[in-house]
Amino acid sequence: ASFGVLNPRPTILKRQFLYLSGLPFLPSLSQPTTMPSTNQWRFIEVGRVVLLTSGKYENKIAVVLDVLDMNRVLVDSPACGSKWTGVPRHVVTLKCLEPTPVKVEVTRGAKVNTLKKVLEEQKTVAAWDESAWAKKISIRDARANINDFDRVRLDRARRVRAYTLRKTLATKLEKAG
């Protein structure tokens, strides 16, 4: 017997032992057999709002209308007067999108007018617009499209704000002792 060599098949030997001893073999209960009823997982499913991350429609949202296979989905997002919508119906690979927490109650393969009506009734675009994710993308786009003059003004405002904050903290520390 060599020390330090681990058994490569511990579960098989455990099953054989339980079989020979006459005890019933029960699988490990550490892994759940069903999905949790409440979760924060964002599944790719019909009605899931997704953010397109690359290509012509980058940073636009669309609704999954059908899951074609394990790598591709059919998406659509009719123009509703928002900067986030306006994606025509087409097939997208899962590498080019991110599922969002927003979901729409829509049937599989819904038509454009039906989808537009459902988006307006359920206020889906407004829900996405209120999310921190959408706000972060908007701020990033605004900073990327700023001109030099506004960039200098923004930097100056940041430095003035930091200076006043430093002064107020210094006075509070002096009063505290």
Side-chain angles (χ1 to χ4, degrees):
S2 62
F3 296 105
V5 177
L6 297 176
N7 185 357
R9 304 179 303 160
T11 56
I12 294 173
L13 293 178
K14 184 177 178 182
R15 288 181 191 159
Q16 290 172 348
F17 171 75
L18 290 174
Y19 176 74
L20 293 175
S21 65
L23 297 173
F25 174 72
L26 297 174
S28 174
L29 299 176
S30 63
Q31 296 177 350
T33 55
T34 60
M35 297 301 291
S37 60
T38 58
N39 59 50
Q40 297 296 320
W41 296 358
R42 296 176 291 196
F43 295 114
I44 299 293
E45 56 189 332
V46 174
R48 176 67 60 190
V49 176
V50 294
L51 176 72
L52 301 176
T53 56
S54 63
K56 185 177 178 181
Y57 304 106
E58 185 176 357
N59 291 337
K60 289 195 179 277
I61 60 171
V63 178
V64 175
L65 295 179
D66 196 4
V67 179
L68 303 177
D69 58 25
M70 62 186 284
N71 294 320
R72 301 176 306 147
V73 293
L74 179 69
V75 297
D76 193 1
S77 177
C80 298
S82 173
K83 70 174 187 173
W84 301 108
T85 58
V87 179
R89 184 176 296 227
H90 68 288
V91 176
V92 180
T93 61
L94 294 179
K95 292 178 183 178
C96 300
L97 57 86
E98 282 289 327
T100 67
V102 183
K103 189 171 181 310
V104 181
E105 294 300 323
V106 68
T107 58
R108 181 173 167 246
K111 295 183 179 180
V112 176
N113 291 334
T114 308
L115 182 61
K116 190 172 186 177
K117 184 177 161 186
V118 168
L119 285 174
E120 289 172 0
E121 284 177 359
Q122 297 179 11
K123 297 180 176 39
T124 308
V125 179
W128 165 252
D129 210 12
E130 292 295 319
S131 70
W133 194 353
K135 290 176 184 176
K136 184 171 80 171
I137 291 171
S138 296
I139 290 170
R140 188 183 305 144
D141 288 344
R143 281 188 166 247
N145 296 326
I146 201 170
N147 61 18
D148 286 344
F149 182 70
D150 290 335
R151 188 175 292 114
V152 169
R153 285 178 49 204
L154 185 67
D155 185 48
R156 175 72 180 151
R158 181 191 58 80
R159 286 187 280 136
V160 168
R161 187 176 62 236
Y163 177 76
T164 56
L165 183 66
R166 233 182 1 257
K167 282 294 188 185
T168 55
L169 286 175
T171 55
K172 285 182 180 181
L173 284 174
E174 286 177 5
K175 288 181 183 177

